[in-house]
Amino acid sequence: MLTQLIALFWGMVIGFATSVPIGPVGIICVQRTIARSRMIGLVTGLGAALTDGFLASVGAFGITVISDFVLKEQVMLRIIGGVILVILGLVGLFSKPKKEKEKKADTAITVIEHFLSAVVLTATNPLAALTFFVAFAGVGPKIGIGAGEFIGVSLVLGVVLGSSLWWLTLTYLADVFGHKINHDHLKTINMWFGGIVAVLGAIILLGVIF
C-alpha cells in the first residue's frame, strides 16, 4: 500500500510539473477561460490531463507499439499539431469575445469540441510523450515500475490528478483576473492570445520544413 501511495505522489509531481510550463494548450486554456467561461477552459485542460494520463501509461507499462509509433511518426504528428494550432490561433485572432449579457450557454457539443481539441493537440506533441518517458526512466527505479500492475496504475493516476490540479489552478486564476478586465481590453488580449498560438503553430510547421 505504501509503495502505491509513493507512486501516486510521484505521479502527481510529474503530472503537475510537466503541465506548469505555459505551452500552446495552456495559452488556449487561458484564452477560452477569459473569452468564454471557466468551464470551457477547464474542459480544455482536462482533455490535456487525460491525454497526459494516456501518454504516461505508455511509459509506465512499456507499450512499445505506441511509443515506437510516436517516435517514428513525430514529423507527421508535428504537422497535424502545427496546422491545428494555426487554425485555432486564427480563429482566436479574428473572433470577438462577447459581452456577458450576449453570451449563450455552452452546449454539450461545444464542450466536446473544446475537450477533443486539447486531446488532439496534446497527443500530437511528441515532446509530451518523450517528457514522460524521460521522467519515468528517472523515477522508475525508485518506485519499482514493472514490479506490479498497481504501481503503474497509481503512477498514471497520479499524473492525471497532478495535471488536473494545475488546470484547476490555471483556470481559476484566469477566471478571477479575466473578469476584472473591461470588454475593450478583452478584445485586445484575445487577439494577442490568438496571434501567439498561430505563431507557435507556424514555428512548429517551419521546424518540420527546415
Side-chain angles (χ1 to χ4, degrees), residues 135-159:
F136 288 168
V139 174
K142 298 179 181 179
I143 60 177
I145 289 182
E149 289 184 5
F150 291 109
I151 294 178
V153 171
S154 298
L155 187 65
V156 172
L157 179 60
V159 168

Side-chain angles (χ1 to χ4, degrees), residues 128-202:
L130 291 174
T131 300
F132 285 114
F133 298 159
V134 172
F136 288 168
V139 174
K142 298 179 181 179
I143 60 177
I145 289 182
E149 289 184 5
F150 291 109
I151 294 178
V153 171
S154 298
L155 187 65
V156 172
L157 179 60
V159 168
V160 175
L161 291 175
S163 181
S164 298
L165 179 61
W166 164 247
W167 296 116
L168 281 167
T169 304
L170 183 64
T171 51
Y172 171 77
L173 293 174
D175 187 51
V176 169
F177 290 104
H179 282 85
K180 295 181 179 180
I181 303 171
N182 65 47
H183 186 69
D184 291 334
H185 289 163
L186 188 59
K187 287 176 15 183
T188 303
I189 292 173
N190 201 48
M191 290 178 62
W192 273 102
F193 276 137
I196 291 171
V197 171
V199 168
L200 288 174

Side-chain angles (χ1 to χ4, degrees), residues 46-188:
L46 291 179
L50 290 178
T51 309
D52 283 343
F54 170 74
L55 296 175
S57 68
V58 174
F61 297 108
I63 308 176
T64 56
V65 174
I66 298 176
S67 61
D68 289 345
F69 173 80
V70 171
L71 295 174
K72 183 179 179 181
E73 303 296 339
Q74 58 179 304
V75 172
M76 179 192 71
L77 294 174
R78 287 168 64 191
I79 291 174
I80 294 173
V83 170
I84 293 174
L85 282 175
V86 170
I87 293 173
L88 290 176
L90 292 176
V91 170
L93 185 62
F94 294 106
S95 65
K96 296 181 180 180
K98 296 181 179 180
K99 297 179 180 180
E100 286 295 327
K101 61 182 180 181
E102 297 175 341
K103 289 182 179 180
K104 297 180 181 179
D106 296 311
T107 64
I109 294 178
T110 303
V111 172
I112 292 172
E113 287 175 349
H114 287 84
F115 176 85
L116 291 178
S117 67
V119 169
V120 174
L121 281 176
T122 307
T124 54
N125 181 9
L127 184 60
L130 291 174
T131 300
F132 285 114
F133 298 159
V134 172
F136 288 168
V139 174
K142 298 179 181 179
I143 60 177
I145 289 182
E149 289 184 5
F150 291 109
I151 294 178
V153 171
S154 298
L155 187 65
V156 172
L157 179 60
V159 168
V160 175
L161 291 175
S163 181
S164 298
L165 179 61
W166 164 247
W167 296 116
L168 281 167
T169 304
L170 183 64
T171 51
Y172 171 77
L173 293 174
D175 187 51
V176 169
F177 290 104
H179 282 85
K180 295 181 179 180
I181 303 171
N182 65 47
H183 186 69
D184 291 334
H185 289 163
L186 188 59
K187 287 176 15 183
T188 303

